[in-house]
Amino acid sequence: MHALTGPVTFSEDEIERYARHLVLAEVGGPGQQRLKAARVGLVGLGGVGAPAALYLAAAGVGTLRLLDDDTVALSNLQRQIVFDAADLGRSKVEAGAGTLAALNPHVRIEPVAARLTEANAAALVEGCDVVIDGTDDFATRFAVNAACVAAGIPLVSGALGRWSGQVGVFSGRPCYRCLVPAAPPEAETCARVGVIGALAGVVGSLAALEAIKLITGAGAPLAGRLLIYDGLAGTARTVAVGADPDCPVCAPG
């Protein structure tokens, strides 16, 4: 995280807005200051990114960088709750920026209408304290993971499909490529297999929570662990993620 170079002050509006954080022992004034000073990058403003962005804006994260080159479609509205019917056809990052600014005018929004690739990943995550990846494209996932490892930026990864989802934190070793060494031959996307809309809220909220923990230093982040949630069964379990000694991204040497 970026070190605070000076006191971060709050207006009367912010003190009332964040009152439930300020009395929380694990956050308090210092944690809220760190949130206000932080920049979080959201790669994909879809099922995971949309609810995550709302909760991060509500929490008072100082700057949110929204990265998505898509436009709002009617089928998005079932789970991407940062949009409404009036946004159909608009750029996702521009529509999302308007919603987030209306929710919390103290948050700076950096809308970037671009697809993250190997070529631009380093530039797009530069300056971020935490990055959340909620995309369903493995080329994008691998590119953002490599850029975060190179820059030393913690990566929160969220994924969902059908009735289940998962969230993990990758900070150094192991990295996301240790978990997924290669893209599966036929990756399952929500468009292909379907997804229950409310599941996106669960996974996106968990991703936002992990980012908040990383920024404030509260609790134990899911570093080296993967939380798997089964919405049909109503169960959750956490599994350890080991470092791959042959990982092409984070293995030493």
Side-chain angles (χ1 to χ4, degrees):
M1 302 302 111
H2 286 145
L4 296 176
T5 56
V8 177
T9 60
F10 299 111
S11 65
E12 290 185 9
D13 176 273
E14 288 174 294
I15 292 172
E16 183 174 356
R17 181 183 290 268
Y18 307 132
R20 302 303 185 273
H21 278 179
L22 295 173
V23 298
L24 196 60
E26 295 82 2
V27 179
Q32 196 62 46
Q33 287 180 319
R34 287 191 284 272
L35 287 169
K36 185 172 182 178
R39 174 184 281 107
V40 175
L42 292 115
V43 184
L45 204 57
V48 175
L54 286 168
Y55 271 109
L56 292 172
V61 172
T63 304
L64 295 177
R65 181 177 296 167
L66 312 179
L67 305 167
D68 201 312
D69 68 338
D70 205 358
T71 55
V72 181
L74 187 58
S75 62
N76 297 152
L77 302 187
Q78 170 247 19
R79 64 203 175 282
Q80 298 176 18
I81 57 173
V82 75
F83 310 121
D84 61 34
D87 294 321
L88 294 177
R90 295 183 63 197
S91 159
K92 280 189 174 183
V93 296
E94 294 296 339
T99 301
L100 298 172
L103 174 63
N104 190 348
H106 302 287
V107 175
R108 296 178 297 278
I109 311 297
E110 298 176 347
V112 182
R115 177 178 290 271
L116 187 144
T117 65
E118 283 188 17
N120 64 15
L124 292 181
V125 304
E126 184 178 6
C128 291
D129 296 288
V130 179
V131 170
I132 295 177
D133 177 22
T135 61
D136 59 7
D137 176 79
F138 281 97
T140 302
R141 285 182 170 273
F142 290 167
V144 70
N145 173 70
C148 286
V149 170
I153 300 171
L155 173 65
V156 181
S157 176
L160 63 158
R162 294 190 175 98
W163 291 84
S164 63
Q166 61 185 42
V167 177
V169 173
F170 303 94
S171 182
R173 301 198 74 209
C175 76
Y176 181 78
R177 284 293 290 274
C178 295
L179 174 67
V180 185
E186 291 188 16
E188 293 188 349
T189 65
C190 292
R192 290 184 60 229
V193 303
V195 64
I196 192 73
L199 177 68
V202 174
V203 176
S205 296
L206 286 170
L209 182 60
E210 289 302 311
I212 290 168
K213 287 161 58 181
L214 287 164
I215 293 166
T216 61
L222 284 168
R225 296 182 293 150
L226 191 70
L227 189 153
I228 303 170
Y229 176 74
D230 184 333
L232 268 183
T235 59
R237 60 191 177 97
T238 304
V239 298
V241 179
D244 181 354
D246 298 317
C247 178
V249 176
C250 71

